[in-house]
Amino acid sequence: MIAGISIYEILTVTSILFFIGVYGFITRKNLISILMSVELILNASVINFVIINKYLYPDVLQGVFFSIFIIAVAAAETALAISIIINLYRQISSVEVKDTEIMKY
Amino acid sequence: MEQIIFYILAFIIIVFAFASVSSRKMLRSVIYLLFVLIGISGIYFLIDYNFLAAIQLTVYAGGVIVLLIFSVMLVHHIELELELAKISKRILIGIASLIGLGVFLTTIYSHEFIVVENSITTTTEDIGLGLLSYEAGGFILPFEVISILLLASMVGAIIIAKGTKLISKKNDTL
């Protein structure tokens, strides 16, 4: 644990990060920007897993394993989402949300 | 000393996260996200999870950011200004986010956490043994499932990004 820092301060930082991600997720109009906001939200949750493991249950490692799995799933999700975005750009020449109105081309 | 470093890291994370969701230039917004991810890996270094910090730097700062920059380069002109939401909508969502943050913070500060004072350093060996152990509390099954997931998503990403053009051309020659 970090000397002189309580768990409340770190949880405050991660909550602010989470809500900045939510704000970006709703206000952005571009698919790649929305993907970046999802990354912010996922990172905030990963820090929460690690911090709660370290501060409250330091003799087990479950939080670290879960955060490794979250990072792996997030990497897979990003790769798939970007391939979908590139394919969509080939079909309709745009990555704006308002142009994406058909599921089938 | 660690206190000062933590406050600097928290400041970097929050300022660059906000810059990342409000910048109008696409590429700059990706670079601000890179600073956020590096700050988060600094927090992992501070609490002595060196392995997780290394994973954060390689997977996020090395992999995801490069992928995002590639896709930005492929689909945008570099100086393209993004279209922003209406100012009334932005204010409304900002207020809603602040209300949600207030709910989170009141819940967190009203809860008594039973903090265990410790200075245990987790080695990479502990993490590897825990991931590969098949006794109670071991993580061998999710570890294997994650490897299958990564393989499937890699194949899926290649097939989707290749598009239909190449496939139909091959069918025509047959």
Side-chain angles (χ1 to χ4, degrees):
Chain A
M1 56 193 294
I2 310 170
I5 299 288
S6 69
I7 189 170
Y8 294 104
E9 294 166 65
I10 307 180
L11 290 182
T12 309
V13 173
T14 55
S15 306
I16 295 173
L17 191 61
F18 181 87
F19 276 101
I20 289 175
V22 171
Y23 171 80
F25 186 80
I26 303 176
T27 51
R28 286 293 183 140
K29 301 268 184 191
N30 187 294
L31 284 174
I32 300 175
S33 311
I34 290 175
L35 192 65
M36 284 163 51
S37 306
V38 172
E39 295 293 330
L40 283 181
I41 296 173
L42 279 171
N43 264 293
S45 67
V46 170
I47 305 178
N48 269 3
F49 265 102
V50 171
I51 289 296
I52 288 173
N53 183 4
K54 187 73 177 178
Y55 272 75
L56 305 185
Y57 307 100
D59 47 340
V60 294
L61 282 175
Q62 256 75 346
V64 180
F65 297 142
F66 270 97
S67 53
I68 291 172
F69 292 140
I70 293 173
I71 290 175
V73 171
E77 170 243 324
T78 311
L80 266 181
I82 282 179
S83 71
I84 290 172
I85 289 171
I86 287 176
N87 198 0
L88 196 68
Y89 184 73
R90 279 199 194 142
Q91 314 281 347
I92 62 176
S93 300
S94 161
V95 290
E96 301 293 314
V97 175
K98 65 177 191 302
D99 299 329
T100 320
E101 52 196 7
I102 44 169
M103 294 283 285
K104 223 173 168 187
Y105 53 91
Chain B
M1 186 63 199
E2 283 174 328
Q3 228 170 340
I4 301 167
I5 295 176
F6 174 77
Y7 286 130
I8 293 171
L9 282 178
F11 183 74
I12 287 175
I13 288 173
I14 289 170
V15 167
F16 279 111
F18 194 73
S20 169
V21 296
S22 59
S23 167
R24 291 196 66 185
K25 296 244 171 75
M26 192 66 220
L27 199 63
R28 282 187 199 176
S29 151
V30 179
I31 300 299
Y32 295 146
L33 183 71
L34 173 67
F35 287 134
V36 175
L37 297 175
I38 290 176
I40 289 170
S41 87
I43 286 184
Y44 294 154
F45 274 120
L46 268 186
I47 55 170
D48 268 344
Y49 278 143
N50 298 329
F51 181 64
L52 209 55
I55 286 186
Q56 175 85 11
L57 280 180
T58 49
V59 173
Y60 271 114
V64 169
I65 290 294
V66 170
L67 229 98
L68 281 173
I69 289 178
F70 257 111
S71 61
V72 170
M73 298 279 195
L74 280 174
V75 303
H76 284 291
H77 190 263
I78 226 169
E79 288 296 321
L80 181 85
E81 302 243 320
L82 289 177
E83 183 187 343
L84 285 178
K86 272 187 300 217
I87 186 89
S88 59
K89 196 184 170 195
R90 269 189 289 163
I91 290 172
L92 192 70
I93 294 164
I95 290 171
S97 300
L98 282 179
I99 291 170
L101 183 65
V103 172
F104 266 44
L105 289 186
T106 44
T107 315
I108 287 170
Y109 278 91
S110 63
H111 187 269
E112 278 292 319
F113 288 104
I114 307 153
V115 175
V116 184
E117 294 286 331
N118 68 91
S119 57
I120 303 170
T121 303
T122 311
T123 58
T124 313
E125 190 189 356
D126 295 334
I127 297 175
L129 286 177
L131 273 179
L132 290 179
S133 103
Y134 46 81
E135 288 150 14
F139 274 80
I140 183 82
L141 181 64
F143 185 69
E144 295 298 328
V145 170
I146 278 291
S147 63
I148 304 233
L149 173 84
L150 283 176
L151 178 69
S153 75
M154 203 163 73
V155 174
I158 292 171
I159 299 239
I160 293 171
K162 209 169 71 172
T164 51
K165 214 181 278 176
L166 296 171
I167 299 168
S168 62
K169 198 180 287 176
K170 198 179 167 192
N171 285 345
D172 289 343
T173 53
L174 280 175

